[in-house]
Amino acid sequence: MSAGAVIVNDWKDLLAGQKLIGLVLSSLTAVVLGLWLAGGKKRKPVLDTKDYREFPLFEKIVISHNTALYRFALPRSDDVIGIPIGQHITVAADIDGKTIARSYTPTSSNDDAGHFDLVIKSYEKGNVSKHFSTLKLGQKIR
């Protein structure tokens, strides 16, 4: 009979081990699923096709005497611009009492969270490009 008791104890140990493995696997599955769902949630794109939004300039990197990279902050550090590569954004500026708009292709991608970049060559007679060259850190474009 003592041999039978050993067998029963072994089954109890086996079942306890299976329960532990089941608990670990279900916990691991829950964690992985939670991370996947959290990472899979995409925020609504920052840009709106109907309304202009304002973005502050937070960095300007001079490339040459008339060209600079202008880096604009998005509302949140995890925001992305939300447009496909090769598409443009339209920037408007109030110049001499008129609203003037120009389109620029961002040089940043949707992998760049928290900001977008525009590389702009300023022309002496260019309305919006000249406006960019006068921007100070913290000033906004729309």
Side-chain angles (χ1 to χ4, degrees), residues 16 19 45 51-52 59 67-70 75 77 79 92 101 108 112 129 138 141:
K19 287 179 183 177
D51 294 318
Y52 285 103
E59 187 175 8
T67 305
L69 180 145
Y70 298 89
S77 63
D79 282 339
S108 52
D112 298 319
S129 68
I141 62 157

Side-chain angles (χ1 to χ4, degrees), residues 41-94:
K41 288 183 182 177
K42 295 205 175 190
R43 293 179 46 94
K44 184 178 176 185
V46 172
L47 295 180
D48 188 326
T49 58
K50 297 180 182 169
D51 294 318
Y52 285 103
R53 295 192 59 191
E54 292 188 334
F55 300 99
L57 177 68
F58 80 90
E59 187 175 8
K60 178 180 176 181
I61 301 170
V62 176
I63 297 172
S64 71
H65 70 284
N66 64 353
T67 305
L69 180 145
Y70 298 89
R71 182 162 285 164
F72 295 93
L74 297 174
R76 292 178 33 157
S77 63
D78 62 341
D79 282 339
V80 294
I81 195 166
I83 63 172
I85 292 174
Q87 296 297 308
H88 65 273
I89 63 172
T90 302
V91 177
D94 294 323

Side-chain angles (χ1 to χ4, degrees), residues 1-2 7 12-14 23 31 36 38 59 76 80 89 91 95-96 100 102-103 116 121 124 131:
M1 285 231 185
S2 63
I7 293 173
K12 286 181 182 177
D13 291 343
L14 181 61
L23 179 64
V31 169
W36 179 74
E59 187 175 8
R76 292 178 33 157
V80 294
I89 63 172
V91 177
I95 301 170
D96 297 329
I100 301 174
R102 295 289 183 268
S103 295
F116 68 92
K121 181 175 182 176
E124 188 177 322
H131 175 73

Side-chain angles (χ1 to χ4, degrees), residues 102-122:
R102 295 289 183 268
S103 295
Y104 296 96
T105 302
T107 55
S108 52
S109 74
N110 284 330
D111 292 331
D112 298 319
H115 72 274
F116 68 92
D117 299 338
L118 299 174
V119 174
I120 298 175
K121 181 175 182 176
S122 297

Side-chain angles (χ1 to χ4, degrees), residues 57 60 70 122 129-137 139:
L57 177 68
K60 178 180 176 181
Y70 298 89
S122 297
S129 68
K130 190 164 60 174
H131 175 73
F132 268 97
S133 69
T134 64
L135 285 176
K136 306 285 185 234
L137 296 183
Q139 288 185 306

